[in-house]
């Protein structure tokens, strides 16, 4: 326990960065009892730890999704979604000293960043899942839009962390599911299952991001089919169904739905049948009503048939 360790130090000062790392690894919650113990030491280190415990650690930043342009000399996506962080307006934020500039208000990235650093972030900030997700997002996105192998390897570690995920986590999962290399898609699958099992996955939010990115061509929709099918087979069909129900409206509304949309419709029908949960999918009826025959229309009709047979409402699931 940190308070016991600084008590044993007496008047000696720990290394500046050693103390900071110890503080960042504390759960981001207010603990007045431990704060009083630390303050009672009447040392600069005790006062620093007490103040940290009374404010609950790093303040929750404001997350803002933004579009980043990619410089591509060849074909492929020309933009991606990233997350900017801004300090919150709160007394705790005003008191917070930011030696690492984690809440700088700019897009999360350090100069001279190396891709392998992403694997270190969860151990540095184990209780700040959303903050870490914002910093590793460029590397995870690179696994999908730049075909970089290993960019999504951090996702299972991120899933094992704690704290609110937010839009950065949602985007990271989507980019991981659409990664070029199978090892990265498997990492995203593992993270998806871990988060779902812990009750920390916002399946609808992930699905909405999948729909938005798929329509703009920022990722390859067909790559997401296999890991999502595997997730349903691994015991998470309801998670997959809710995710797809949120992704499909944007995909179906596109003038030309992206390749892979019929496969997602097929998977959605299977998941809806397995779960017996009825979730409305805006735009589905319009596709079914089209006169021309295509696989998109065929799979849309299959999903409608599955929904007609579903016996449980989404609200009651």
């Amino acid at each position: 326990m940190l308070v016991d360790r600084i008590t044993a130090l007496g008047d000696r000062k720990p290394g500046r960065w050693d103390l900071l790392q110890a503080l960042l690894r504390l759960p981001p919650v207010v603990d007045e009892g431990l704060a009083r113990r630390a303050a009672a030491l009447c040392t600069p280190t005790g006062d620093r730890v007490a103040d940290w415990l009374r404010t609950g650690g790093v303040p929750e930043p404001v997350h803002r999704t933004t579009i980043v342009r990619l410089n591509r000399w060849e074909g492929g996506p020309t933009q991606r979604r990233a997350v900017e962080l801004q300090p919150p307006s709160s007394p705790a934020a005003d008191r917070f000293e930011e030696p690492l500039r984690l809440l700088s208000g700019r897009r999360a990235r350090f100069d001279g960043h190396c891709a392998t650093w992403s694997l270190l972030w969860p151990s540095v900030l184990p209780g700040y899942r959303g903050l870490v997700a914002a910093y590793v997002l460029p590397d995870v996105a690179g696994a999908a839009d730049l075909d970089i192998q290993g960019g999504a390897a951090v996702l299972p570690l991120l899933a094992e962390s704690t704290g609110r995920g937010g839009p950065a986590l949602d985007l990271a999962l989507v980019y991981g599911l659409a990664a070029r290399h199978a090892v990265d898609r498997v990492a995203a699958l593992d993270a998806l299952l871990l988060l779902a099992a812990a009750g920390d996955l916002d399946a609808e939010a992930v699905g909405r991001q999948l729909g938005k990115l798929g329509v703009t061509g920022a990722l390859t929709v067909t790559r997401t089919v296999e890991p999502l099918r595997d997730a349903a087979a691994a015991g998470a069909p309801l998670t997959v169904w809710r995710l797809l129900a949120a992704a499909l409206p944007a995909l179906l509304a596109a003038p030309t739905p992206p390749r892979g949309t019929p496969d997602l419709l097929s998977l959605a029908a299977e998941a809806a049948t397995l779960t017996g949960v009825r979730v409305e999918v805006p735009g589905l009826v319009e596709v079914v009503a089209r006169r021309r025959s295509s696989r998109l229309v065929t799979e849309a009709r299959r999903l409608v048939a599955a929904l007609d047979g579903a016996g449980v409402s989404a609200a009651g699931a």
Side-chain angles (χ1 to χ4, degrees), residues 76-171:
T78 58
Q79 64 181 36
R80 69 162 57 138
R81 286 180 176 266
V83 171
E84 291 182 348
L85 303 175
Q86 296 179 345
S89 298
S90 68
D94 293 339
R95 294 176 57 193
F96 181 69
E97 296 181 5
E98 195 180 0
L100 295 180
R101 296 184 59 79
L102 295 172
L103 310 178
S104 64
R106 304 179 63 177
R107 191 164 62 254
R109 200 68 167 173
F110 280 130
D111 293 337
H113 174 86
C114 295
T116 54
W117 291 1
S118 288
L119 296 174
L120 303 177
W121 276 102
S123 61
V124 174
L125 295 155
Y128 302 91
R129 186 184 279 149
L131 188 59
V132 172
Y135 274 91
V136 304
L137 182 56
D139 293 325
V140 180
D145 55 29
L146 297 178
D147 297 346
I148 298 173
Q149 185 170 350
V154 68
L155 290 178
L157 301 176
L158 191 58
E160 291 173 350
S161 302
T162 58
R164 191 178 73 86
L169 178 62
D170 303 333
L171 284 167

Side-chain angles (χ1 to χ4, degrees), residues 22 31 40 61 81 98 128 134 239 249 267 292:
D31 193 325
R81 286 180 176 266
E98 195 180 0
Y128 302 91
T239 293
L267 179 55
R292 66 180 184 274

Side-chain angles (χ1 to χ4, degrees), residues 204 238 241-242 245-246 272 275-282 284 303 307 310 312-315 317:
E204 288 83 359
L238 182 56
W241 171 215
R242 292 189 181 281
T275 61
V277 173
R278 182 179 179 86
V279 182
E280 297 298 329
V281 180
L284 184 62
L303 177 54
L307 293 178
V312 181
S313 68

